[in-house]
């Protein structure tokens, strides 16, 4: 019994020794991390006295992890990360010829000391903790962002994106230059937060942009992708989207697969974007009702097919070499699974659709399916899109911003868009 007691005592001492050693090591490591963080923040030499108030006259600085809208730095290592010559050359080879001049101008402006950072954090909505912003659908957030980027390039100032994404197939074309790096570094990524806050979607003061362009001090202004009160311009240069973004290799393979499967390269397929709205499609409370369910949905579907046929005739897509094709070819993109079922049963036309089920924009993982529809629609000969009913009273655009984005990035003309009134 005495021997057992001695052994137990030794085991207990050994346990507490290991526990104390482990705890001591953890504390030493944590202290080291804190010291590195303090050194990093001090090295940034942030001049908080130079921080300006927001456009509405409220001071949003130095609260909750130093949340701020604007900030100036006396020294910030690697802030103006330029685009390398080989990256520019590679982009020149990949982009359409009409985009080269804008690419050169964009590259020049990336060396400006003044930076506009556009923020949106959808990836973290799939996590159980941290900062999350739904930031509307792809059309709304991308079109408004491209309009603001146009405003920034008009004043030749640098732009960056803080847009954590995952699994949607779209990357920044120049990540080393365009991707925002938060002062909190890896801690911000681990704990899903940022040192600034634009979640209130506060107004942006575009007129003030450019006043620090030639300054010796680095100046950053933070803007939401969809700020309130911003009068966005839908007539941006479509090259801008392709300069800023590109598809991943895996996603491009998927696009090419469907492009070949649906014979889109033959140039005789009409794209149909039939948006019914979140309430009709998913039961999500939203005023953006573009088509109603039940028997009314069947009637709306018939109207959309009729509009698509009208556009096909207008674009002279009767068939190859003047011979009438047996059936008109349509590519259908919709947010409603019932509409897809109707299309599968419709033998009058050759209707193509992707295999994935529609999902609401509130689901950040659903972006990939939406982007697939977006790119395939942009590769059709023209677009038929349903517009909002006359009695609608709300913030939505008459023509879906998603459809307009697809039309834009496909470099289509006004003759290639047919607005279909179904109600």
């Amino acid at each position: 019994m005495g021997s057992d007691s001695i052994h137990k005592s030794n085991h207990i001492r050994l346990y507490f020794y290991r526990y104390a050693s482990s705890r001591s090591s953890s504390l030493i490591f944590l202290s080291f991390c804190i010291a590195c963080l303090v050194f990093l923040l001090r090295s940034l030499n942030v001049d908080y006295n130079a921080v300006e108030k927001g456009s509405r006259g409220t001071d949003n600085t130095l609260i909750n992890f130093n949340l701020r809208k604007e900030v100036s730095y006396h020294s910030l290592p690697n802030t103006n990360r330029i685009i390398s010559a080989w990256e520019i050359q590679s982009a020149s080879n990949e982009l359409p010829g009409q985009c080269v001049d804008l690419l050169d101008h964009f590259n020049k402006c990336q060396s400006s000391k003044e930076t506009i950072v556009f923020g949106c954090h959808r990836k973290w909505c799939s996590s159980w903790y941290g900062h999350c912003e739904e930031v509307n659908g792809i059309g709304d957030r991308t079109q408004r962002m491209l309009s603001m980027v146009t405003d920034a390039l008009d004043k030749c100032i640098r732009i960056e994106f803080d847009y954590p994404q995952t699994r949607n197939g779209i990357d920044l074309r120049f990540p080393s230059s365009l991707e925002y790096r938060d002062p909190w570094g890896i801690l911000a990524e681990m704990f899903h937060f940022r040192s600034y806050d634009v979640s209130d979607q506060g107004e942006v003061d575009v007129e003030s942009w450019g006043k620090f362009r030639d300054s010796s001090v680095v100046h950053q202004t933070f803007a939401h992708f969809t700020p309130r009160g911003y009068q966005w311009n839908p007539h941006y240069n479509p090259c801008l989207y392709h300069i800023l973004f590109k598809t991943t290799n895996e996603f491009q393979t998927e696009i090419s697969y469907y492009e070949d499967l649906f014979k889109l390269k033959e140039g005789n397929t009409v794209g149909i974007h039939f948006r019914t709205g979140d309430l009709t499609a998913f039961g999500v409370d939203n005023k953006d009702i573009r088509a109603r369910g039940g028997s009314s949905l069947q009637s709306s579907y018939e109207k959309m097919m009729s509009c698509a046929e009208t556009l096909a005739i207008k674009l002279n897509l009767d068939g190859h070499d003047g011979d009438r094709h047996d059936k008109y070819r349509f590519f259908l993109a919709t947010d409603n699974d019932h509409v897809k079922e109707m299309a599968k049963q419709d033998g009058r036309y050759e209707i193509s659709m992707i295999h994935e089920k529609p999902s609401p924009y509130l689901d950040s993982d659903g972006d990939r399916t939406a982007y697939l529809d977006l790119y395939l629609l942009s590769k059709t000969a023209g677009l038929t899109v349903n517009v909002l009913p006359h009695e609608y009273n709300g913030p939505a655009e008459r023509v879906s911003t998603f459809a307009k984005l697809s039309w834009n990035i496909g470099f289509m003309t006004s003759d290639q868009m047919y607005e279909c009134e179904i109600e």
Side-chain angles (χ1 to χ4, degrees):
M1 293 291 292
S3 177
D4 289 342
S5 299
I6 293 173
H7 282 303
K8 289 180 181 178
S9 177
N10 289 337
H11 282 306
I12 292 172
R13 289 194 187 99
L14 181 60
Y15 169 79
F16 279 111
Y17 174 77
R18 288 176 177 174
Y19 172 78
S21 298
S22 175
R23 186 175 181 182
S24 176
S25 299
S26 299
L27 290 174
I28 292 173
F29 178 73
L30 181 60
S31 301
F32 174 75
C33 291
I34 293 174
C36 290
L37 179 61
V38 171
F39 175 78
L40 172 63
L41 294 178
R42 286 186 176 180
S43 68
L44 296 179
N45 193 17
V46 180
D47 181 8
Y48 290 110
N49 293 323
V51 177
E52 300 184 5
K53 292 185 177 181
S55 59
R56 291 173 292 162
T58 59
D59 192 347
N60 292 298
T61 63
L62 297 177
I63 57 171
N64 192 9
F65 291 111
N66 295 329
L67 302 182
R68 63 206 192 279
K69 294 282 181 70
E70 297 189 43
V71 64
S72 295
Y73 298 90
H74 283 309
S75 63
L76 186 59
N78 299 321
T79 296
N80 282 356
R81 304 181 301 276
I82 63 172
I83 304 173
S84 66
W86 73 266
E87 286 180 300
I88 292 295
Q89 184 59 52
S90 177
S92 299
N93 295 335
E94 295 174 0
L95 293 169
Q98 66 263 41
C99 298
V100 174
D101 288 342
L102 183 59
L103 174 64
D104 290 341
H105 177 66
F106 163 77
N107 186 32
K108 173 187 174 184
C109 297
Q110 283 300 97
S111 63
S112 171
K113 289 289 186 180
E114 182 173 354
T115 302
I116 307 297
V117 180
F118 299 103
C120 165
H121 309 285
R122 282 175 64 78
K123 181 178 75 170
W124 296 334
C125 296
S126 300
S127 172
W128 58 271
Y129 71 99
H131 187 53
C132 162
E133 294 178 73
E134 300 297 350
V135 205
N136 301 47
I138 289 174
D140 285 343
R141 65 180 185 259
T142 306
Q143 293 253 87
R144 283 162 175 75
M145 175 272 296
L146 290 173
S147 177
M148 287 189 289
V149 171
T150 300
D151 292 333
L153 291 183
D154 284 345
K155 301 187 178 185
C156 202
I157 52 181
R158 177 183 174 83
I159 60 171
E160 292 182 7
F161 295 101
D162 188 16
Y163 188 19
Q165 304 183 79
T166 183
R167 298 185 297 277
N168 66 8
I170 308 299
D171 279 344
L172 294 172
R173 183 175 292 276
F174 307 108
S176 61
S177 178
L178 285 172
E179 190 170 5
Y180 168 76
R181 299 177 183 178
D182 197 87
W184 285 86
I186 192 172
L187 289 180
E189 301 303 318
M190 289 173 58
F191 296 103
H192 297 180
F193 74 89
R194 285 294 184 257
S195 58
Y196 67 91
D197 183 18
V198 292
S199 59
D200 64 351
Q201 296 178 276
E203 297 178 4
V204 294
D205 185 9
V206 175
E207 295 302 318
S208 69
W209 293 0
K211 63 183 179 181
F212 297 99
R213 181 178 58 199
D214 301 318
S215 172
S216 59
V217 176
V218 175
H219 183 88
Q220 289 179 324
T221 300
F222 298 85
H224 196 274
F225 268 51
T226 56
R228 291 194 314 271
Y230 175 68
Q231 298 299 314
W232 72 284
N233 181 6
H235 303 295
Y236 56 83
N237 189 330
C239 287
L240 193 54
Y241 177 89
H242 298 284
I243 289 172
L244 298 175
F245 303 104
K246 68 175 183 178
T247 56
T248 62
N249 292 335
E250 180 186 2
F251 192 51
Q252 184 57 50
T253 299
E254 190 173 0
I255 293 172
S256 298
Y257 164 78
Y258 279 114
E259 189 178 9
D260 292 338
L261 181 65
F262 300 156
K263 303 176 183 178
L264 299 184
K265 293 179 180 178
E266 294 183 9
N268 62 349
T269 300
V270 167
I272 302 174
H273 182 240
F274 186 12
R275 176 171 169 77
T276 63
D278 294 320
L279 180 60
T280 303
F282 310 110
V284 176
D285 188 13
N286 191 312
K287 293 182 179 180
D288 184 9
I289 303 173
R290 296 175 184 264
R292 302 189 183 278
S295 60
S296 177
L297 187 60
Q298 179 68 47
S299 174
S300 297
Y301 169 82
E302 295 295 338
K303 181 64 175 176
M304 285 297 294
M305 294 300 113
S306 176
C307 289
E309 189 170 333
T310 299
L311 180 59
I313 295 171
K314 178 182 177 182
L315 297 176
N316 195 28
L317 302 181
D318 287 346
H320 300 292
D321 302 323
D323 295 329
R324 180 171 179 81
H325 198 71
D326 289 339
K327 298 178 181 180
Y328 287 112
R329 285 181 180 172
F330 299 148
F331 168 68
L332 173 64
T334 180
D335 60 352
N336 196 303
D337 208 37
H338 296 297
V339 172
K340 296 186 103 174
E341 290 301 319
M342 293 177 191
K344 291 176 183 178
Q345 304 302 321
D346 193 343
R348 296 169 297 172
Y349 312 104
E350 189 177 321
I351 304 176
S352 302
M353 299 169 285
I354 63 174
H355 304 310
E356 288 81 355
K357 290 187 64 174
S359 58
Y361 78 86
L362 295 173
D363 179 6
S364 59
D365 290 340
D367 276 359
R368 185 183 180 90
T369 301
Y371 272 114
L372 185 56
D373 275 335
L374 180 80
Y375 275 83
L376 292 175
L377 283 172
S378 74
K379 296 178 181 296
T380 60
L383 290 181
T384 299
V385 53
N386 61 310
V387 297
L388 282 170
H390 293 294
E391 66 271 17
Y392 173 80
N393 181 22
E397 303 286 336
R398 181 175 184 271
V399 177
S400 161
T401 53
F402 182 91
K404 290 289 287 185
L405 177 61
S406 183
W407 176 83
N408 264 317
I409 68 175
F411 298 93
M412 296 186 188
T413 65
S414 57
D415 291 338
Q416 293 171 279
M417 170 76 79
Y418 191 92
E419 299 177 8
C420 187
E421 296 185 1
I422 60 176
E423 291 190 16

